[in-house]
Amino acid sequence: MASPLPMPWPVPRLIEHKRDGGEHSRAEIETLVQGFTRGDLPDYQVSAWLMAVFLRGMTPRETADLTLAMAASGDQLDLGGLQRTVDKHSTGGVGDKTSLILTPMLAALGLTVAKMSGRGLAHTGGTIDKLESIPGWTPELSEERFLAQAAEIGLALVGQSRDLAPADGKLYALRDVTATVDSLPLIASSIMSKKLASGAHTVVLDVKVGAGAFMRTAADGEALARAMVDIGTHAGRQVRAVLTEMDTPLGHLAGNSLEVLEALSTLRGEGPADLHELCVALAVEALVAHGEAEDAARTRAEAALRDGSALAKFRAFVGAQGGDPTYVDQPEKFDVAPGRAEVTAPAAGFVSAVDALGVGRAVLALGGGRERKGEAIDHGVGVELLKKPGEAVVAGEPVLRVYHRSGRGLDAALELLRAGLSIGAEPVAPAPLILGRVH
Ligand code: URA
């Protein structure tokens, strides 16, 4: 290992400065990020600094400087050869298969999506895991092929590269074990450093709010969205955020293969209303960021789900990345776990809540997600919401269906689902899906 470069400031002074509520200069932040990425700073000092940031926060200028330093800590993709580039990010939810629908829609609408996507961790799913339900589909493309495919069909998705914003990977690993994940400047800089390094002109953010999300309240979600939009603007990008409800899972299905199936029906114009609405709303944001009028953008986005053009892009994309395209038109080919169990309504009434976190944890218990990076998952298991909040039920009627493999994790999943299901005597109006927008 190279010998450590001299630090212009003693690190304990930097920690002390933040601990006492001080504001870092850009040079101080760059020193910390570069030193840590190079391996010159020990984990214990960076952990102490992270806790000081967690407790004292950062100004918008500091957050932007932190993000830029993290984005510059490794490779940065040059998408300059592609037209009208757009990236999308969701802060993570349950049943959130939006990227599977939105990205081919955007390609069909004339934008270019050359995107890195993640795998699922804990109770939230990941786009790469979902797409791997299609035999042969691979997230591994050389940079050359990735860019050529994006130019040719308007859509290429690869796994997160470790060479991109490596400072984020190292900082996230420390945050995870030092109770410093839940910090607005640290979350905003983590997400946006990867988006900036990924190179797209426009970034559309879906900031989830509610029981199944990082941000529990609309005020917190809005603050996170504002921080990310400001960072992007500071870096010369177009960033638009939509705040969306995540108390209840999105759509009706959670679990990898099941979510691809629901995405395919949405691409055929036959998806659940909430999922359809969200995909159209995010597509409109992307088109508006590229200069289109909102009403015209909405009409075009709706048409892409009705006329088969988004579905055709998805089929081309699956084939280009090695997947069996016949799965797109023959849903019966997907490996859905054969075991079935149901949670029924204990009494007549109206569904008032189906806790997203409980559903996410149930999928995890069934083997459909991973607690640790690298674990194998079962793509075929999952949960179906037969009823959603606001719907009437009679006593004994099935409300949730579990798809399990040989009973693995079934008891735990049923317990989580029962605990998260609320049935009330009075009808409840379902919460609006779109809670706000931040530009
Ligand atoms: N997602 C990220 O990429 N980083 C965070 O800190 C939180 C969510």
Side-chain angles (χ1 to χ4, degrees), residues 208-403:
K208 302 285 186 198
V209 173
F214 264 116
M215 296 292 144
R216 299 298 162 95
T217 66
D220 286 350
E222 188 163 349
L224 176 64
R226 171 55 53 210
M228 294 195 288
V229 169
D230 287 349
I231 292 168
T233 309
H234 185 89
R237 310 291 173 89
Q238 281 276 338
V239 183
R240 301 172 76 93
V242 178
L243 296 179
T244 63
E245 187 263 344
M246 188 32 77
D247 284 325
T248 309
L250 191 61
H252 288 273
L253 292 162
N256 295 286
S257 293
L258 294 174
E259 292 191 39
V260 179
L261 287 167
E262 192 163 53
L264 287 170
S265 55
T266 308
L267 285 165
R268 281 190 205 98
E270 296 159 3
D274 58 349
L275 184 57
H276 180 103
E277 180 190 351
L278 179 56
C279 293
V280 169
L282 292 168
V284 168
E285 294 299 326
L287 293 170
V288 169
H290 279 277
E292 292 192 29
E294 188 166 334
D295 285 350
R298 185 169 305 282
T299 305
R300 288 213 311 126
E302 289 282 0
L305 290 179
R306 241 193 349 261
D307 64 13
S309 57
L311 183 67
K313 280 290 176 195
F314 188 75
R315 195 182 290 111
F317 152 75
V318 166
Q321 292 194 212
D324 180 348
T326 63
Y327 273 61
V328 174
D329 303 295
Q330 297 173 49
E332 65 283 1
K333 283 192 160 180
F334 280 86
D335 170 30
V336 173
R340 300 281 182 278
E342 279 160 358
V343 174
T344 53
F350 298 86
V351 177
S352 53
V354 180
D355 174 39
L357 188 58
V359 172
R361 288 187 174 150
V363 174
L364 194 58
L366 294 165
R370 55 177 78 76
E371 303 269 12
R372 271 176 218 85
K373 279 189 181 166
E375 280 176 352
I377 60 170
D378 185 339
H379 291 87
V381 298
V383 173
E384 181 172 3
L385 283 72
L386 302 166
K387 301 276 175 186
K388 291 196 72 168
E391 292 189 60
V393 286
V394 298
E397 186 175 357
V399 182
L400 294 154
R401 177 172 294 141
V402 177
Y403 294 76

Side-chain angles (χ1 to χ4, degrees), residues 46-416:
V46 178
S47 301
W49 177 75
L50 286 169
M51 185 55 82
V53 171
F54 181 91
L55 295 171
R56 290 299 195 163
M58 281 187 148
T59 65
R61 201 268 312 145
E62 282 179 299
T63 309
D65 285 341
L66 174 62
T67 313
L68 292 174
M70 287 160 70
S73 66
D75 292 348
Q76 305 204 48
L77 265 179
D78 180 3
L79 302 186
L82 299 173
Q83 302 292 317
R84 291 163 57 90
T85 52
V86 60
D87 198 349
K88 176 259 175 181
H89 182 82
S90 157
T91 57
V94 177
D96 184 8
K97 66 284 289 174
T98 310
S99 289
L100 301 176
I101 306 149
L102 179 67
T103 57
M105 274 175 87
L106 295 173
L109 292 164
L111 302 185
T112 306
V113 186
K115 175 173 165 47
M116 301 214 172
S117 286
R119 292 187 183 276
L121 196 59
H123 71 280
T124 63
T127 302
I128 298 292
D129 289 329
K130 292 171 199 176
L131 286 165
E132 283 178 345
S133 309
I134 303 173
W137 186 87
T138 176
E140 278 157 37
L141 301 180
S142 67
E143 188 173 326
E144 201 184 356
R145 210 178 127 198
F146 171 68
L147 294 174
Q149 183 182 313
E152 195 180 322
I153 62 173
L155 174 57
L157 293 186
V158 289
Q160 204 77 51
S161 153
R162 246 174 292 146
D163 303 330
L164 205 93
D168 175 58
K170 290 191 75 175
L171 286 171
Y172 195 90
L174 266 194
R175 287 167 58 206
D176 206 21
V177 292
T178 56
T180 53
V181 168
D182 268 348
S183 148
L184 190 142
L186 296 179
I187 296 175
S189 55
S190 165
I191 294 172
M192 289 304 293
S193 63
K194 288 171 285 203
K195 295 290 127 186
L196 296 184
S198 303
H201 162 275
T202 296
V203 183
V204 178
L205 300 168
D206 179 4
V207 177
K208 302 285 186 198
V209 173
F214 264 116
M215 296 292 144
R216 299 298 162 95
T217 66
D220 286 350
E222 188 163 349
L224 176 64
R226 171 55 53 210
M228 294 195 288
V229 169
D230 287 349
I231 292 168
T233 309
H234 185 89
R237 310 291 173 89
Q238 281 276 338
V239 183
R240 301 172 76 93
V242 178
L243 296 179
T244 63
E245 187 263 344
M246 188 32 77
D247 284 325
T248 309
L250 191 61
H252 288 273
L253 292 162
N256 295 286
S257 293
L258 294 174
E259 292 191 39
V260 179
L261 287 167
E262 192 163 53
L264 287 170
S265 55
T266 308
L267 285 165
R268 281 190 205 98
E270 296 159 3
D274 58 349
L275 184 57
H276 180 103
E277 180 190 351
L278 179 56
C279 293
V280 169
L282 292 168
V284 168
E285 294 299 326
L287 293 170
V288 169
H290 279 277
E292 292 192 29
E294 188 166 334
D295 285 350
R298 185 169 305 282
T299 305
R300 288 213 311 126
E302 289 282 0
L305 290 179
R306 241 193 349 261
D307 64 13
S309 57
L311 183 67
K313 280 290 176 195
F314 188 75
R315 195 182 290 111
F317 152 75
V318 166
Q321 292 194 212
D324 180 348
T326 63
Y327 273 61
V328 174
D329 303 295
Q330 297 173 49
E332 65 283 1
K333 283 192 160 180
F334 280 86
D335 170 30
V336 173
R340 300 281 182 278
E342 279 160 358
V343 174
T344 53
F350 298 86
V351 177
S352 53
V354 180
D355 174 39
L357 188 58
V359 172
R361 288 187 174 150
V363 174
L364 194 58
L366 294 165
R370 55 177 78 76
E371 303 269 12
R372 271 176 218 85
K373 279 189 181 166
E375 280 176 352
I377 60 170
D378 185 339
H379 291 87
V381 298
V383 173
E384 181 172 3
L385 283 72
L386 302 166
K387 301 276 175 186
K388 291 196 72 168
E391 292 189 60
V393 286
V394 298
E397 186 175 357
V399 182
L400 294 154
R401 177 172 294 141
V402 177
Y403 294 76
H404 64 91
R405 187 121 28 211
S406 313
R408 177 181 169 196
L410 180 59
D411 291 345
L414 288 172
E415 201 177 313
L416 283 158

